[in-house]
Amino acid sequence: MKETDITSIFKHIYNVMRRYGVQNVIHKLRQLEAQGIDHFETEVIEAIIVHVTCQYEISRKDLFEGKKRGACSDARKMCYILMKENLSLNEMQIAWYFDRHNKAVYRAMYEYAQMNNSIKWQREFLEKKRIVDEKISMLVNQRLSTEG
């Protein structure tokens, strides 16, 4: 690629960012990256969301709303963890799905790695995760056995 080609590409990117805003451009770039999610993964993601919202007794809308804390925040963290453990998605794809920054997913994975049964809320979280994980594992194994 010639120097003038690179310069013209960056000028074009600069103009697009000025016109639409940096956040909109970043959001579109994340959407392009997350397009690698296939039908099977979408099915598993939907199952994770359904089972987690049932376990926490919250609505799907509350799960995706940004300002909700408490049970909704714990449910989102559980979704991140289950998606990471059961699917071949990276942190950025998971964060994009929930319209979050990938740092939220990294933080949830770190918190999960530090959890133990001696603290009550962590014990409850791990128990809920175990229940949902069993259901998701059955679904994943069933799908894999029908395909293979």
Side-chain angles (χ1 to χ4, degrees), residues 33 84 87-95 105:
E33 183 177 358
K84 184 68 177 165
L87 301 169
S88 61
L89 301 177
N90 63 35
E91 288 79 3
M92 187 166 253
Q93 288 172 315
I94 295 169
V105 178

Short mmCIF file of all heavy atoms in Angstrom, two decimals, residues 33 84 87-95 105:
data_model
loop_
_atom_site.label_atom_id
_atom_site.label_comp_id
_atom_site.label_asym_id
_atom_site.label_seq_id
_atom_site.Cartn_x
_atom_site.Cartn_y
_atom_site.Cartn_z
N GLU A 33 -17.27 -6.97 14.43
CA GLU A 33 -16.48 -8.03 15.03
C GLU A 33 -17.38 -9.14 15.59
O GLU A 33 -17.06 -10.31 15.51
CB GLU A 33 -15.61 -7.49 16.15
CG GLU A 33 -14.73 -8.57 16.75
CD GLU A 33 -13.80 -8.05 17.81
OE1 GLU A 33 -13.79 -6.84 18.07
OE2 GLU A 33 -13.10 -8.87 18.40
N LYS A 84 -18.89 -17.36 28.35
CA LYS A 84 -17.46 -17.58 28.19
C LYS A 84 -17.11 -19.06 28.35
O LYS A 84 -16.28 -19.59 27.61
CB LYS A 84 -16.69 -16.72 29.21
CG LYS A 84 -15.19 -16.79 29.07
CD LYS A 84 -14.74 -16.14 27.80
CE LYS A 84 -13.22 -16.16 27.73
NZ LYS A 84 -12.73 -15.88 26.40
N LEU A 87 -19.26 -21.25 25.28
CA LEU A 87 -19.16 -20.87 23.87
C LEU A 87 -17.76 -20.40 23.55
O LEU A 87 -16.97 -20.10 24.43
CB LEU A 87 -20.17 -19.75 23.56
CG LEU A 87 -21.63 -20.09 23.83
CD1 LEU A 87 -22.49 -18.85 23.76
CD2 LEU A 87 -22.12 -21.14 22.85
N SER A 88 -17.47 -20.32 22.29
CA SER A 88 -16.14 -19.87 21.86
C SER A 88 -16.16 -18.39 21.53
O SER A 88 -15.62 -17.96 20.52
CB SER A 88 -15.68 -20.68 20.65
OG SER A 88 -16.59 -20.49 19.58
N LEU A 89 -16.77 -17.60 22.40
CA LEU A 89 -16.84 -16.16 22.21
C LEU A 89 -15.74 -15.48 23.01
O LEU A 89 -15.38 -15.94 24.10
CB LEU A 89 -18.19 -15.62 22.69
CG LEU A 89 -19.43 -16.18 22.02
CD1 LEU A 89 -20.67 -15.58 22.66
CD2 LEU A 89 -19.43 -15.90 20.53
N ASN A 90 -15.22 -14.39 22.48
CA ASN A 90 -14.25 -13.63 23.25
C ASN A 90 -14.98 -12.58 24.09
O ASN A 90 -16.18 -12.38 23.96
CB ASN A 90 -13.18 -13.02 22.34
CG ASN A 90 -13.74 -12.02 21.36
OD1 ASN A 90 -14.67 -11.29 21.66
ND2 ASN A 90 -13.16 -11.97 20.17
N GLU A 91 -14.24 -11.93 24.96
CA GLU A 91 -14.82 -10.97 25.87
C GLU A 91 -15.49 -9.80 25.15
O GLU A 91 -16.52 -9.30 25.59
CB GLU A 91 -13.76 -10.44 26.85
CG GLU A 91 -13.31 -11.44 27.90
CD GLU A 91 -12.30 -12.46 27.39
OE1 GLU A 91 -11.88 -12.39 26.21
OE2 GLU A 91 -11.93 -13.33 28.19
N MET A 92 -14.91 -9.40 24.05
CA MET A 92 -15.47 -8.27 23.31
C MET A 92 -16.82 -8.63 22.71
O MET A 92 -17.75 -7.81 22.72
CB MET A 92 -14.49 -7.82 22.22
CG MET A 92 -14.94 -6.56 21.52
SD MET A 92 -13.60 -5.87 20.57
CE MET A 92 -13.22 -4.49 21.60
N GLN A 93 -16.96 -9.84 22.19
CA GLN A 93 -18.24 -10.26 21.63
C GLN A 93 -19.31 -10.34 22.71
O GLN A 93 -20.45 -9.95 22.49
CB GLN A 93 -18.09 -11.61 20.93
CG GLN A 93 -17.31 -11.54 19.64
CD GLN A 93 -17.02 -12.91 19.07
OE1 GLN A 93 -16.61 -13.80 19.79
NE2 GLN A 93 -17.23 -13.07 17.78
N ILE A 94 -18.94 -10.86 23.87
CA ILE A 94 -19.89 -10.95 24.99
C ILE A 94 -20.30 -9.55 25.43
O ILE A 94 -21.49 -9.27 25.64
CB ILE A 94 -19.28 -11.75 26.16
CG1 ILE A 94 -19.05 -13.21 25.73
CG2 ILE A 94 -20.18 -11.68 27.38
CD1 ILE A 94 -18.22 -14.01 26.70
N ALA A 95 -19.34 -8.66 25.57
CA ALA A 95 -19.62 -7.28 25.99
C ALA A 95 -20.52 -6.59 24.97
O ALA A 95 -21.47 -5.88 25.34
CB ALA A 95 -18.32 -6.51 26.17
N VAL A 105 -16.78 -7.52 31.40
CA VAL A 105 -16.67 -8.98 31.29
C VAL A 105 -15.40 -9.46 31.98
O VAL A 105 -15.44 -10.44 32.74
CB VAL A 105 -16.71 -9.43 29.81
CG1 VAL A 105 -16.56 -10.93 29.70
CG2 VAL A 105 -17.99 -8.96 29.14
#
